Amino acid sequence: MKNLLVTGGAGFIGSNFINHILDKRDDVFIVNLDKLTYAGNLENLKSSENKKKYLFIKGDIQNHELVEYIFTKYKIKHVINFAAESHVDRSILGSEVFYRTNVIGTNVLLETARRFEVERFLQISTDEVYGSLGETGKFTESTPISPNSPYSSSKAAADMMALAFYHTYQMPVVLTRCSNNYGPLQFPEKLIPLMIINTLNNKKLPVYGDGLNVRDWIYVIDHNKAAELVWEKGKVGEVYNIGASREMKNIEIVKLILKTLGKSEDMINYVKDRPGHDRRYAIDSSKIQNELGWKPEFEFETAIQNTIQWYLENKNWWERIINGSYLEYYNLQYKNR
Ligand code: NAD
Ligand code: DAU
């Protein structure tokens, strides 16, 4: 049995990861430690919550005593750290919580994992640590780190820390850096769910700047299968890029959503650009493909339609969120400028 601590497992990617693992494996016992910030939602884990090999604990990864208690009580030997403040726009509004959770929180986990001699520590990172690309080229694992936002700088700091723990203490650390995810259960502050929900609610679609920024999209299950592989088979001390080679301009995504939902492009509203907006991301994932035999399984064309369909069928899930005070605040700060 693998006793695995998953942090941030009530968020978008973490909950999809837990549901995926518990659906198909019975050799993993998962303790999910999540603070349930605005982005954490236990409804995401409905299919897992009653499983014997699953336990949820509400708490902060910065809480030394709690983290130590969990390692002791549940004999944790594996850690996957998904927990983070994850939204770039929010990091521009206020960065402190990003450094607290993403840097200090990761430090608490690494220090505890070191003392308890874990067998594996997977730090879930992001392609945003590499900064921004021009019109050509892709990020490889040897692209220099050059983060531009408070969010990405906090993730880059955590990456450097995790690698330092490998070099200094020979801790069995591995890292993944993935591109933009989409799929069910994504909090509607991010581009794709926000645009789907605004379209369904006949609200304007706020496109930043000229709409020509490029993101490289991957279906969340493809990311999670890659993370599972790196967790168990990745070489310690190594970084693995994850991406599905599906570059899209933001405006193309927005138009695709409008077309799918039968709405007019008049709903598009070009708004002031995000400060420091990275122009283009593109991931070279040949290392994980060649060394670990991973490849993306989901075609963008099908998976984006399934994602739109999921939001159509799960109105209750997102209505509860957008009726909450958080998004009201968010909309006031950003969408109407
Ligand atoms: P999310 O915002 O949907 O979820 C984050 C989760 O972490 C939430 O459940 C939240 O409650 C929890 N959390 C936040 N602070 C915490 C704390 N101090 N202690 C315990 N739990 C805390 O994020 P996501 O999109 O699922 O991203 C998960 C991870 O993947 C992050 O590390 C992010 O940097 C990384 N990532 C995301 C993407 C993407 O496209 N979304 C791409 C690459 C990497
Ligand atoms: O690349 C991986 C990263 O992808 C992750 O590390 C982050 O956690 C995740 O949030 C995501 O970051 P982005 O900033 O790329 O995602 P976001 O969905 O916020 O924005 C995608 C693009 O769409 C970006 O160019 C900004 C633009 N955008 C976004 C929103 C929310 C708009 O034009 N309008 C919007 O309302």
Side-chain angles (χ1 to χ4, degrees):
M1 185 63 59
K2 289 187 165 164
N3 289 4
L4 168 66
L5 173 63
V6 170
T7 67
F12 164 50
I13 303 174
S15 61
N16 274 293
F17 180 84
I18 291 174
N19 294 335
H20 161 74
I21 294 285
L22 294 177
D23 263 1
K24 65 163 194 145
R25 292 178 63 157
D26 60 8
D27 63 331
V28 186
F29 171 70
I30 296 180
V31 178
N32 173 13
L33 172 63
D34 195 298
K35 188 178 178 183
L36 298 183
T37 66
Y38 76 92
N41 185 351
L42 289 180
E43 267 192 63
N44 297 357
L45 293 150
K46 272 217 154 67
S47 66
S48 297
E49 65 187 4
N50 293 322
K51 295 209 166 130
K52 279 201 196 105
K53 289 176 181 149
Y54 172 72
L55 180 78
F56 173 72
I57 296 177
K58 181 176 173 184
D60 194 320
I61 58 169
Q62 295 171 78
N63 183 337
H64 285 271
E65 291 74 24
L66 176 62
V67 171
E68 175 141 358
Y69 166 81
I70 292 170
F71 272 77
T72 311
K73 168 109 180 162
Y74 300 104
K75 301 184 171 44
I76 297 299
K77 284 291 170 195
H78 298 258
V79 179
I80 303 184
N81 183 25
F82 288 99
E85 287 293 335
S86 69
H87 193 38
V88 174
D89 288 337
R90 282 172 57 88
S91 80
I92 296 166
L93 268 182
S95 62
E96 187 178 336
V97 69
F98 283 75
Y99 294 108
R100 288 194 187 282
T101 287
N102 301 358
V103 185
I104 306 297
T106 301
N107 180 253
V108 170
L109 294 172
L110 281 166
E111 280 292 0
T112 315
R114 178 168 78 86
R115 279 187 288 112
F116 282 78
E117 298 182 340
V118 294
E119 288 166 27
R120 281 286 163 140
F121 189 112
L122 169 57
Q123 174 65 11
I124 300 288
S125 186
T126 167
D127 63 354
E128 295 200 12
V129 299
Y130 295 121
S132 186
L133 289 166
E135 293 201 347
T136 57
K138 291 188 173 202
F139 298 130
T140 70
E141 288 81 358
S142 50
T143 302
I145 298 299
S146 183
N148 291 318
S149 71
Y151 161 70
S152 55
S153 68
S154 70
K155 294 293 291 185
D159 285 16
M160 296 298 97
M161 192 188 335
L163 289 170
F165 272 62
Y166 163 72
H167 287 290
T168 309
Y169 308 113
Q170 293 77 51
M171 241 186 91
V173 168
V174 276
L175 270 82
T176 54
R177 292 187 181 138
C178 189
S179 62
N180 286 63
N181 285 220
Y182 65 98
L185 304 172
Q186 187 167 30
F187 193 84
E189 64 189 352
K190 307 283 164 60
L191 180 76
I192 289 182
L194 182 88
M195 296 299 164
I196 296 171
I197 290 168
N198 275 17
T199 306
L200 294 174
N201 284 338
N202 290 312
K203 284 181 71 181
K204 289 277 187 192
L205 310 191
V207 173
Y208 299 165
D210 61 8
L212 300 179
N213 298 63
V214 172
R215 295 293 181 265
D216 189 351
W217 294 95
I218 182 170
Y219 193 59
V220 62
I221 300 298
D222 274 333
H223 177 185
N224 281 332
K225 286 187 174 175
E228 182 184 4
L229 199 59
V230 173
W231 158 40
E232 293 184 299
K233 306 261 168 56
K235 199 167 158 223
V236 296
E238 295 282 320
V239 174
Y240 293 87
N241 282 353
I242 303 170
S245 296
R246 196 59 166 90
E247 290 180 54
M248 298 275 287
K249 296 185 178 79
N250 293 337
I251 193 65
E252 291 172 333
I253 296 265
V254 170
K255 287 183 177 172
L256 176 96
I257 291 168
L258 284 169
K259 190 168 175 216
T260 304
L261 294 172
K263 294 288 176 70
S264 155
E265 290 182 9
D266 293 345
M267 290 176 77
I268 295 170
N269 184 22
Y270 287 95
V271 298
K272 201 168 152 217
D273 209 353
R274 171 186 279 176
H277 197 173
D278 285 341
R279 191 62 170 171
R280 175 172 165 260
Y281 303 146
I283 274 277
D284 177 340
S285 63
S286 48
K287 178 175 174 181
I288 187 173
Q289 303 214 23
N290 296 336
E291 287 185 16
L292 303 181
W294 174 84
K295 62 175 174 19
E297 291 166 21
F298 290 85
E299 283 296 332
F300 179 81
E301 281 65 27
T302 322
I304 189 71
Q305 293 302 328
N306 292 344
T307 302
I308 295 172
Q309 193 57 32
W310 187 87
Y311 283 90
L312 275 167
E313 287 169 5
N314 289 275
K315 219 172 159 198
N316 284 344
W317 182 89
W318 53 261
E319 271 189 336
R320 266 198 282 279
I321 294 170
I322 64 167
N323 291 335
S325 56
Y326 166 69
L327 264 200
E328 217 169 285
Y329 168 73
Y330 180 78
N331 279 333
L332 281 176
Q333 294 287 322
Y334 270 94
K335 306 297 165 196
N336 303 322
R337 65 194 171 175

